[in-house]
Amino acid sequence: TCETKITFDSAQWKSVSREAIDICTQLLTKKPEERLTIDKLLAHPGLKSFHHSSCVIYKQKTVFKP
């Protein structure tokens, strides 16, 4: 198997918080069962500290039904 390490070293990521980078890393995990769930995402300190009046997060358990 091919393993790729994701890095956030470029100039575009310099102003991004460690918490936000942690969220990205956990969402980009190769194995779906190890990825951040919506419940864990909503409880993540990086998201909990984000306050914006025009930002609305919809929590939906079923996104797609085949």
Side-chain angles (χ1 to χ4, degrees):
T1 64
C2 180
E3 294 295 323
T4 302
K5 181 171 176 13
I6 300 169
T7 60
F8 299 92
D9 297 330
S10 66
Q12 292 89 346
W13 290 95
K14 296 294 182 205
S15 63
V16 178
S17 70
R18 278 184 261 160
E19 292 87 359
I21 290 174
D22 183 57
I23 289 171
C24 292
T25 302
Q26 291 187 54
L27 289 172
L28 293 171
T29 300
K30 184 176 180 178
K31 294 180 182 178
E33 64 274 7
E34 294 177 5
R35 286 184 201 140
L36 205 56
T37 64
I38 188 66
D39 292 321
K40 289 182 180 178
L41 173 63
L42 293 173
H44 193 284
L47 193 63
K48 289 185 87 138
S49 65
F50 178 76
H51 299 289
H52 195 281
S53 60
S54 64
C55 180
V56 178
I57 298 172
Y58 294 96
K59 184 176 174 182
Q60 182 177 339
K61 293 292 184 186
T62 304
V63 177
F64 175 75
K65 268 189 170 175

